[in-house]
Amino acid sequence: YTTSTLCVFKLCPSSTPADLHRLSLCEPHSIPQSYYLHTMFSTPVLLSSLLLSLSFIPAIPAWPSGAPASVCHTMLPGHGKEPQTLADSPYHVQVSSLYLKQEERIKVTLSSKSETPFKGFLLKAVEVPSNNIIGTFTLLEDGGDNSTAQYLACTHPQSSITHTSNVEKLGQTVEWSPPDQFTGSVVMVATFVKDGYTYWVNVTSETVQTGEMEMGAASAVAKLAYDWLMGFILAWFQ
């Protein structure tokens, strides 16, 4: 089929599809346009080339104005590409404190490790080990036209944060607070989208302890410090 397509300009006007493999000496301009079009579009080579060309069309970000609540569980942006390896992520999720009282808030920051901007993001807080979405986020911005983040009701109002546009960003900071009377461990989970081909899913922060567990952790640290100090004093006097 490839040879037939390349030699179509050397076929006589009277040629039929059965003559595609036979060459003649007629001039290119003597081929009727209708026959040329029929021959060109009936070849499997053209179809294969067309499909190959379509495969190189760049992926378009699925949610340029923010992720929908339907992806809160998978955290996938729907770009049709596999996520990148977490170990290679140029982004991280940082929290301002690892211990939190029930009525307090912590700052959560999405940022780049190497000045690599990201276009989209999705952030949620999950309870450990149930992985249930928990708590409430608060935007630090005024929420106007220049806002780069917006609330997303994954399971309840303000239970998640996502981008408002695909403008490049180097960071995003919000606040998070636990629900009333909650005691337990929480991890921040985020998706970062660099472009239509490149994104990272389930980038996590360090574990945050809330409620009474804060006192337990603080007591454990104090006990370790006390034991070390007493051991040092005893060794000094021996």
Side-chain angles (χ1 to χ4, degrees), residues 13-44:
S14 60
S15 299
T16 65
D19 299 321
L20 287 177
H21 293 284
R22 291 200 295 265
L23 298 177
S24 66
L25 299 177
C26 57
E27 296 296 328
H29 60 78
S30 63
I31 301 176
Q33 184 178 7
S34 59
Y35 180 75
Y36 167 71
L37 292 175
H38 169 76
T39 305
M40 182 178 65
F41 286 105
S42 63
T43 56

Side-chain angles (χ1 to χ4, degrees), residues 5-177:
T5 304
L6 293 176
C7 297
V8 64
F9 288 103
K10 293 182 179 296
L11 295 177
C12 295
S14 60
S15 299
T16 65
D19 299 321
L20 287 177
H21 293 284
R22 291 200 295 265
L23 298 177
S24 66
L25 299 177
C26 57
E27 296 296 328
H29 60 78
S30 63
I31 301 176
Q33 184 178 7
S34 59
Y35 180 75
Y36 167 71
L37 292 175
H38 169 76
T39 305
M40 182 178 65
F41 286 105
S42 63
T43 56
V45 174
L46 180 65
L47 180 58
S48 299
S49 300
L50 179 60
L51 294 176
L52 183 62
S53 299
L54 291 175
S55 67
F56 286 99
I57 295 178
I60 300 175
W63 316 112
S65 58
S70 59
V71 300
C72 289
H73 177 67
T74 64
M75 300 291 284
L76 293 172
H79 292 185
K81 300 288 183 178
E82 292 295 322
Q84 304 298 307
T85 304
L86 281 176
D88 299 329
S89 172
Y91 313 110
H92 52 189
V93 183
Q94 297 174 300
V95 292
S96 60
S97 176
L98 298 181
Y99 304 101
L100 183 67
K101 295 180 180 179
Q102 291 177 351
E103 297 180 356
E104 292 181 337
R105 294 180 179 181
I106 59 171
K107 284 184 170 61
V108 183
T109 301
L110 308 180
S111 59
S112 170
K113 301 176 185 177
S114 57
E115 297 298 314
T116 302
F118 55 94
K119 292 184 176 182
F121 65 89
L122 177 59
L123 172 66
K124 65 181 180 181
V126 298
E127 182 183 3
V128 179
S130 69
N131 209 37
N132 292 328
I133 296 176
I134 192 170
T136 302
F137 287 96
T138 302
L139 295 177
L140 299 181
E141 302 164 317
D142 59 8
D145 294 337
N146 294 326
S147 176
T148 55
Q150 61 183 323
Y151 297 119
L152 179 63
C154 284
T155 56
H156 55 275
Q158 299 180 215
S159 58
S160 182
I161 297 289
T162 187
H163 56 281
T164 57
S165 72
N166 58 4
V167 174
E168 292 185 340
K169 316 159 187 63
L170 288 175
Q172 180 71 54
T173 299
V174 296
E175 289 185 334
W176 178 85
S177 56

